[in-house]
């Protein structure tokens, strides 16, 4: 079980579709354990999707608000209401943007052994589920933002949403890639 590298906006894997998990064996368990460890050692991450560690499989680990979930092949089967709040991402540290989401979601998923479950949540956990399931479809929170700028964490800096989308799409190279 090792800590994995979290990729940043601009890595093409964040724009790709993750494939359903069909085999629930020991290797899957090792991968999920590593995702959980990686999430725990990140500074303020609430959740991680497999795309973020360069694995195109439909796996999400959430450790947020004293709740822990491992969601394999998650699917939103019902939703209701709306909420708008700031959202960030482990793949874009230090910046947050306003995103409108459903206030309630009902999610069907499998656990690490392939057993099916249903979970219902509102508010922040519902937001978290939607953000992470989007990752599995190559969708990033900036795609759903309602304002033109993202704001810096604890400072006055701002970055334009469109610039972040261009970075995510590989149209603007970031310092580390030059
Ligand atoms: Ni994210």
């Amino acid at each position: 079980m090792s800590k994995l590298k979290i990729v940043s906006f601009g890595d093409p894997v964040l724009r790709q579709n993750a494939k359903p998990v069909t085999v629930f064996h020991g290797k899957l368990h090792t991968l999920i354990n590593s995702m959980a460890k990686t999430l725990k050692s990140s500074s303020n991450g609430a959740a991680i999707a497999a795309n973020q560690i360069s694995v195109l499989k439909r796996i999400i680990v959430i450790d947020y608000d004293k709740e822990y979930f491992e969601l394999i092949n998650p699917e939103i089967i019902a939703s209701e209401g709306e909420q708008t709040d700031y959202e960030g991402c482990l793949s874009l540290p230090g910046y947050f943007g306003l995103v409108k989401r459903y206030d309630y979601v009902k999610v069907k998923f499998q656990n690490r052994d392939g057993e099916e479950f249903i979970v219902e949540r509102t508010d922040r956990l519902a937001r978290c589920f939607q953000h992470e399931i989007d990752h599995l479809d190559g969708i990033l929170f900036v795609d759903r933002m309602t304002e033109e700028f993202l704001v810096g964490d604890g400072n006055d800096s701002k970055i334009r949403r469109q610039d972040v989308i261009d970075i995510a799409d590989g149209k603007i190279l970031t310092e580390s890639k030059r």
Side-chain angles (χ1 to χ4, degrees):
M1 181 165 105
S2 54
K3 211 184 127 192
L4 306 160
K5 183 181 175 284
I6 298 173
V7 301
S8 301
F9 277 34
D11 193 307
V13 77
L14 293 179
R15 282 308 200 188
Q16 287 168 348
N17 259 302
K19 302 234 166 12
V21 172
T22 52
V23 183
F24 296 80
H25 51 34
K27 274 188 194 163
L28 175 69
H29 295 191
T30 306
L31 177 63
I32 294 170
N33 291 344
S34 297
M35 285 175 70
K37 189 179 177 188
T38 305
L39 181 61
K40 241 187 173 44
S41 61
S42 71
S43 53
N44 51 15
I48 189 166
N51 299 50
Q52 293 177 280
I53 45 112
S54 305
V55 174
L56 284 171
K57 289 188 179 154
R58 302 189 80 80
I59 306 168
I60 290 165
V61 175
I62 296 174
D63 191 346
Y64 188 52
D65 267 3
K66 293 175 186 141
E67 292 205 82
Y68 179 79
F69 295 96
E70 294 170 356
L71 308 177
I72 320 299
N73 301 327
E75 216 179 300
I76 295 172
I77 54 170
S79 57
E80 225 177 87
E82 62 176 57
Q83 53 167 320
T84 302
D85 205 347
Y86 283 96
E87 214 167 281
C89 183
L90 276 179
S91 295
L92 187 75
Y95 286 93
F96 296 87
L98 272 183
V99 185
K100 189 161 100 178
R101 298 281 190 187
Y102 295 119
D103 186 51
Y104 158 91
V105 289
K106 186 178 193 175
V107 176
K108 186 176 90 174
F109 67 99
Q110 285 167 283
N111 70 0
R112 56 164 69 198
D113 296 314
E115 298 163 310
E116 278 201 11
F117 292 88
I118 284 177
V119 59
E120 297 171 280
R121 287 292 184 278
T122 58
D123 200 17
R124 287 185 294 177
L125 250 309
R127 170 174 298 279
C128 195
F129 287 157
Q130 292 167 81
H131 177 114
E132 297 308 318
I133 292 171
D134 269 354
H135 269 303
L136 303 180
D137 295 322
I139 299 167
L140 301 168
F141 77 97
V142 288
D143 301 326
R144 299 197 187 276
M145 270 181 62
T146 48
E147 293 196 331
E148 198 188 340
F149 289 95
L150 288 84
V151 295
D153 184 17
N155 56 52
D156 291 336
S157 63
K158 281 183 171 186
I159 42 174
R160 197 178 294 275
R161 168 182 175 259
Q162 190 56 52
D163 287 345
V164 179
I165 291 174
D166 287 347
I167 288 168
D169 291 341
K171 290 179 190 158
I172 297 177
L173 293 181
T174 55
E175 286 301 325
S176 60
K177 298 237 165 88
R178 261 177 209 152

